[in-house]
Amino acid sequence: MTVENKKGRFGKFGGQYVPEIVMPVLNQLEEAYEKYRRDPEFLKDLRKYYVEYAGRPTLLYYADKLTKYYGGAKIYLKREDLLHTGAHKINNALGQALLAQRMGKKQVIAETGAGQHGVATATVAALFGMKCKVFMGAVDIERQKLNVFRMKLLGAEVVPVTTGTGTLKDATSEAIRYWAAHIDDTHYIIGSAVGPHPYPTMVRDFQSVIGQEIRQQIQQETGGRLDYMIACVGGGSNAIGTFYEFKDDAQIKKFGVEAAGRGPAIGDNAQTLSNPNSRPGVLHGAYSYLAQDEDGQVIEVYSISAGLDYPGVGPEHSMFHEQGVVEYVGINDKEALDAFQLLCRTEGIIPAVESSHALAYLEKLMPSTKPEEVVVVTLSGRGDKDVQQVAKVLGEEI
Ligand SMILES: *Cc1c(COP(=O)(O)O)cnc(C)c1O
């Protein structure tokens, strides 16, 4: 039995579309989040972990060499790659773990595909002394041995899921089933701004620290001048965290960059909002744009980057897309790889392949910019995890 609920809407998107057995635990979570999101003690604790554990505020770095290379607007990089565990995912994992602790939960669970969200969850579970189970498709476990070992080192149990195709979709279903059966002691940490209400709002709030810091830092750097913002979009958490603070600043052009993979054919990319074939539908508990085939079936999407390879997108992005608040664009594998190498050589920074999609959009944007203008690119993560894969694609032996 699926329950449909109109709570937590972004325009016509979002809501709750979940099995009836999950409703009690969602209601409990919603109530707790409503209480703690404005609780000064909770916010003070969260701030403390951001500063003392994760390494916030992250730098807003003026990329002088990259700016000179393009010869247009001044380029600043928001350095989420410098955070503990190497990406923005820790912002959300810390927030949800702290909330779970306040709710008296003893265990956190998560689903993971490439393993990045699993590692972030295992990290905060270790920090807060909670038990941790990470559901992972058996096929993904085989493909991502290093992250599986990382999670084990951090004390998490990795639960292999062999149903279906043995990948992320099946791991998600298994995590939901487990959650519904362990509602008293378990919190489910979702890794992006997706899922049923209250997740998209909660994840956005925890990631909004990115945009809030940019607001302060750009004031220092340019007296507040900011013309363009760019962030990559998988489920959309680093992008919503970047844009949310500036959603009413219509003079700032915002670009959400999706993975255009190896081409426009169905199944060859992971574009949901920048793809004329996508339509809204229900996936993982919410109504939002989805990559679908002609029959309305959600398709397996593809990208060189595991973090962008998701057939849906957070519901608030679907609303921003229809309202024109953010423009969604596509960058393909080759363009992302070129941007990856360019940042390594010009600035001495190895970016995540996900973040390289955002960087690659500079190639299209910069020719039309002026030197007095300012652009901020969110560097969602560092690329150490991607070096081996990049070497393989470039035909290098390592
Ligand atoms: C997971 C991940 C992403 C994509 O997730 P969003 O929720 O869209 O932000 C982007 N960059 C990095 C480095 C990631 O690990």
Side-chain angles (χ1 to χ4, degrees), residues 3-44:
V3 178
E4 275 190 33
N5 210 322
K6 296 220 182 294
K7 270 192 300 198
R9 291 277 171 170
F10 302 94
K12 60 178 184 283
F13 303 104
Q16 295 174 320
Y17 297 79
V18 293
E20 209 170 345
I21 47 163
V22 178
M23 277 318 294
V25 76
L26 271 185
N27 289 335
Q28 187 192 49
L29 178 62
E30 185 185 2
E31 210 172 283
Y33 186 58
E34 275 312 310
K35 174 174 165 201
Y36 287 112
R37 67 188 297 191
R38 287 183 199 86
D39 179 67
E41 279 301 310
F42 178 82
L43 295 172
K44 199 175 123 207

Side-chain angles (χ1 to χ4, degrees), residues 92 138 290:
N92 169 51
L290 300 176

Side-chain angles (χ1 to χ4, degrees), residues 14 46 64 89 141 159 161 177 200 211-212 236 251 391:
L46 182 59
D64 184 46
K89 285 193 172 75
I141 288 181
V159 182
V161 177
R177 249 195 300 279
Q212 288 157 8
Q251 79 284 4

Side-chain angles (χ1 to χ4, degrees), residues 86-89 116-117 191-194 203 207 232-240 305-308 317 352-355 379-382 385-386:
H88 69 290
K89 285 193 172 75
Q116 293 303 113
H117 174 53
S192 189
V194 300
V203 175
Q207 293 292 359
C232 65
V233 177
S237 70
N238 88 88
I240 208 77
S305 122
L308 300 185
H317 284 292
V353 174
E354 290 85 357
S355 321
L379 214 59
S380 53
R382 64 175 178 234
K385 67 182 177 60
D386 300 316

Side-chain angles (χ1 to χ4, degrees), residues 284-341:
H284 297 149
Y287 183 72
S288 194
Y289 272 85
L290 300 176
Q292 305 175 41
D293 63 17
E294 286 94 349
D295 303 327
Q297 289 292 327
V298 177
I299 54 170
E300 290 264 337
V301 292
Y302 162 82
S303 163
I304 189 174
S305 122
L308 300 185
D309 172 345
Y310 181 67
V313 69
E316 197 163 17
H317 284 292
S318 288
M319 183 181 77
F320 283 170
H321 171 60
E322 293 206 340
Q323 294 175 339
V325 171
V326 177
E327 185 180 334
Y328 296 87
V329 296
I331 283 292
N332 67 32
D333 287 0
K334 163 88 174 49
E335 293 166 327
L337 270 178
D338 289 346
F340 176 99
Q341 295 172 82

Side-chain angles (χ1 to χ4, degrees), residues 45-46 48-50 52-54 84-85 90 93-95 97-98 101 108 119-132 154-155:
D45 268 11
L46 182 59
K48 180 175 123 99
Y49 285 109
Y50 278 175
E52 294 175 15
Y53 186 72
H84 176 47
T85 68
I90 195 78
L94 278 171
L98 194 62
Q101 192 190 48
V108 290
V119 170
T121 302
T123 300
V124 296
L127 176 68
F128 287 97
M130 294 169 124
K131 285 204 319 191
C132 179
L154 293 161

Side-chain angles (χ1 to χ4, degrees), residues 17 44 52 68 76 102 116 134 142 192 211 245 272 296 306 323 359:
Y17 297 79
K44 199 175 123 207
E52 294 175 15
K68 291 207 170 91
Y76 286 85
R102 289 290 209 277
Q116 293 303 113
V134 179
E142 205 42 49
S192 189
E245 166 74 20
T272 39
Q323 294 175 339
L359 290 164

